[in-house]
Amino acid sequence: MLNFDLNRMIMVLPGILLALTVHEFSHGYVAYQLGDPTAKNNGRLTLNPIAHIDPLGFLMLMFAGFGWAKPVPINPFFFTDRRKGTLLVSLAGPASNVIMAIFLTLFLGVLIRFLGSPGYLIQQFFMSAISINLVLAVFNLFPIPPLDGSKILISLFPSRFEQTFYQMEQYAFIILILLLFLGVIRRVLFPIVNTLFNLLMILLMAVI
């Protein structure tokens, strides 16, 4: 049963909006730099979080601890090297969340080092935002369509396997929901996230 906690919702909301926005903007920005204007033409090359929110994915992040945003439209035929372009664009989202988590950790460390304790609410915001960015990064690396990991996997496999992947995609959402329901995703996701979070806490203590 979902446990609705208004205080927690208020605390995690900014971190969720930040993580989703950075993730999707990065997809669109890298695609644009590689010659694909599709995201820009669809109003997705923006830091406005409203443009990137997927209602279901947003609610999942709020209540379940993992979720997704509205996919940025990409046309790989604009890329000079279609497979390499797809790989770079797919990696951009998760990579941007990891970079954001590192930046937030360093920024919090600097605040504590030079200003003392930033206060409970500010510190909790940073911790929440760091965790959410890590969750979004790791979750999207699962090789299940429509997550980024599936596109990364397709880009790394020989082109003759592409059709097989695309045929499997029609069942992907059912598979994803089933894995979520059975707790398989959670059992794999959170140990990785916890390990990364602990590494960032080591970094935080080094800065302090």
Side-chain angles (χ1 to χ4, degrees):
M1 182 177 180
L2 295 176
N3 181 23
F4 182 79
D5 185 335
L6 180 59
N7 291 329
R8 178 184 174 276
M9 294 299 104
I10 294 173
M11 187 63 65
V12 304
L13 181 59
I16 290 174
L17 293 177
L18 175 64
L20 291 178
T21 301
V22 166
H23 184 101
E24 296 305 326
F25 173 81
S26 298
H27 282 314
Y29 180 77
V30 171
Y32 186 69
Q33 293 300 310
L34 293 174
D36 178 14
T38 309
K40 185 176 187 299
N41 294 340
N42 283 270
R44 299 297 303 281
L45 200 62
T46 175
L47 291 173
N48 179 359
I50 296 176
H52 303 299
I53 291 176
D54 176 277
L56 178 58
F58 181 78
L59 290 174
M60 289 290 290
L61 264 172
M62 291 284 285
F63 292 101
F66 48 84
W68 56 90
K70 188 189 305 179
V72 168
I74 301 297
N75 186 346
F77 291 100
F78 280 105
F79 304 148
T80 303
D81 185 328
R82 183 169 60 89
R83 293 171 63 80
K84 181 180 178 181
T86 300
L87 175 63
L88 292 175
V89 170
S90 301
L91 283 170
S96 69
N97 288 125
V98 173
I99 292 170
M100 179 57 66
I102 295 171
F103 171 80
L104 290 169
T105 302
L106 293 173
F107 193 77
L108 177 60
V110 170
L111 281 180
I112 296 174
R113 183 179 180 88
F114 293 102
L115 300 178
S117 176
Y120 175 78
L121 290 179
I122 294 177
Q123 187 167 324
Q124 285 301 111
F125 159 73
F126 274 95
M127 292 298 182
S128 175
I130 291 167
S131 298
I132 291 166
N133 272 279
L134 292 177
V135 167
L136 197 63
V138 176
F139 178 67
N140 272 280
L141 287 174
F142 278 80
I144 307 168
L147 303 179
D148 298 324
S150 66
K151 300 178 181 63
I152 293 170
L153 190 64
I154 292 173
S155 301
L156 295 175
F157 270 71
S159 56
R160 65 178 181 273
F161 291 103
E162 283 189 27
Q163 187 60 37
T164 302
F165 278 111
Y166 292 136
Q167 289 174 348
M168 293 172 57
E169 194 168 359
Q170 60 184 316
Y171 307 107
F173 189 73
I174 297 175
I175 294 172
L176 179 60
I177 295 299
L178 184 62
L179 292 176
L180 288 170
F181 180 76
L182 294 175
V184 176
I185 296 290
R186 181 180 293 272
R187 286 195 291 271
V188 176
L189 175 72
F190 285 107
I192 298 173
V193 170
N194 289 337
T195 298
L196 294 175
F197 184 84
N198 290 336
L199 289 174
L200 289 181
M201 291 305 99
I202 294 173
L203 175 62
L204 176 65
M205 296 306 297
V207 174
I208 296 174

